[in-house]
Amino acid sequence: VFRPLFFEYPGDPMLYRRSILDRQFFLGDSLMVAPALDPKVRSVKAYLPSDRWYDFITGEVLHNDHLKEGIFVDRPAPINGTAPLMVRGGTVIPTQNVSTIRKTDDLPSNFSLVVALKANSDRQLYARGYLVALSNLTDENSVYDRCYVGSCIAVIDVSYDQGSLTVNISKEFPDSQLDPFFIDSIILYGTDCISYEHAELILDESSDQSSHVIVETKGDKVELIPSRLRAEDGVRFTFNLHSSECYYPE
């Protein structure tokens, strides 16, 4: 889980320097942490390799991927707050509210998706992420059979183009077994507009799910709050976002 930065960017010589190697690390392959390690320090100077980077909490763009070199950025590190946490563009981070969770049995199958968009070679914005689609995490035999012998990983592919957001759910492997899960909200970083006023959720005619969506703009991020979307293999959601302030070229 904890990984040095050069695992993801082996060609960047800066990442082999002790000043960075000892003070920054990856959680998985998408989240970078730069904690304050010295007494009385309230900010850190974090190094970001050449890529698209966002502040994980606020959605602020910290590094544009068209820059060919890494940069240093000053990030606040309050003593009673979250350590500086950055998310790499092109990734989806599933999160859960665990404020009332005391044991594994209490974990719900509800997720919020933090979508950090990045442009591909065709200049289309995309992101991809993964989550464990298993509702019973306390049954050791089920976890072993479904997730170790087999695969219980759901793949989440997101694409965005001029106010249209598409979310595709699929299996990691053809024989994967996924339990349904629920999407409580989708938080977007890196859209070409942050002043959307309302959104429409396009569903199949056979779907019995609600198409109602609440849109909230918070600084540099856009949050979509549907009515508890049920997600499973083969499901596709499309959101059409509307704004009177954003204009797109034909």
Side-chain angles (χ1 to χ4, degrees):
V1 175
F2 294 88
R3 315 171 73 182
L5 271 59
F6 64 76
F7 272 27
E8 297 300 318
Y9 301 92
D12 189 335
M14 289 289 292
L15 303 183
Y16 299 90
R17 295 187 178 186
R18 184 66 63 183
S19 59
I20 296 175
L21 190 62
D22 289 348
R23 292 179 174 270
Q24 296 178 222
F25 59 90
F26 265 110
L27 286 174
D29 61 2
S30 304
L31 290 173
M32 183 196 297
V33 189
L37 302 177
D38 300 313
K40 300 182 180 180
V41 168
R42 298 295 180 267
S43 66
V44 298
K45 189 176 290 291
Y47 178 77
L48 303 179
S50 177
D51 211 331
R52 182 79 164 178
W53 291 98
Y54 301 90
D55 183 290
F56 182 70
I57 305 300
T58 68
E60 176 189 358
V61 177
L62 302 177
H63 193 325
N64 290 310
D65 46 347
H66 67 269
L67 299 176
K68 302 304 181 184
E69 296 182 354
I71 60 173
F72 284 93
V73 294
D74 289 316
R75 305 307 302 154
I79 190 170
N80 293 322
T82 303
L85 187 60
M86 286 69 71
V87 60
R88 179 158 59 166
T91 61
V92 177
I93 308 294
T95 66
Q96 290 182 296
N97 182 358
V98 295
S99 59
T100 61
I101 302 301
R102 297 293 179 265
K103 57 185 184 300
T104 306
D105 290 349
D106 298 332
L107 281 172
S109 296
N110 296 53
F111 296 87
S112 292
L113 305 180
V114 177
V115 178
L117 295 166
K118 178 182 177 179
N120 61 20
S121 57
D122 295 324
R123 307 307 299 168
Q124 299 296 312
L125 295 176
Y126 77 96
R128 167 174 277 199
Y130 307 86
L131 64 76
V132 176
L134 185 65
S135 56
N136 186 356
L137 295 173
T138 60
D139 185 336
E140 294 183 3
N141 292 328
S142 176
V143 172
Y144 180 81
D145 292 338
R146 295 275 300 279
C147 299
Y148 287 91
V149 176
S151 172
C152 59
I153 302 298
V155 182
I156 305 167
D157 284 302
V158 179
S159 60
Y160 172 90
D161 183 30
Q162 298 186 9
S164 179
L165 180 80
T166 301
V167 181
N168 284 292
I169 310 297
S170 62
K171 301 176 180 179
E172 184 180 28
F173 301 108
D175 59 348
S176 298
Q177 299 181 53
L178 308 183
D179 287 340
F181 57 94
F182 297 91
I183 300 174
D184 288 336
S185 68
I186 300 174
I187 303 168
L188 298 175
Y189 297 165
T191 66
D192 47 10
C193 176
I194 58 171
S195 60
Y196 291 114
E197 295 147 2
H198 66 279
E200 299 170 333
L201 173 57
I202 310 302
L203 298 167
D204 293 336
E205 293 183 1
S206 59
S207 176
D208 60 355
Q209 301 196 79
S210 171
S211 59
H212 178 67
V213 183
I214 298 173
V215 181
E216 294 184 358
T217 300
K218 302 176 181 178
D220 294 310
K221 59 187 180 182
V222 177
E223 184 170 6
L224 306 178
I225 306 174
S227 297
R228 199 168 184 260
L229 280 179
R230 177 186 171 96
E232 53 192 328
D233 177 45
V235 167
R236 178 176 185 174
F237 305 113
T238 300
F239 298 84
N240 289 332
L241 286 70
H242 301 277
S243 172
S244 60
E245 299 181 16
C246 301
Y247 301 93
Y248 304 111
E250 296 294 335

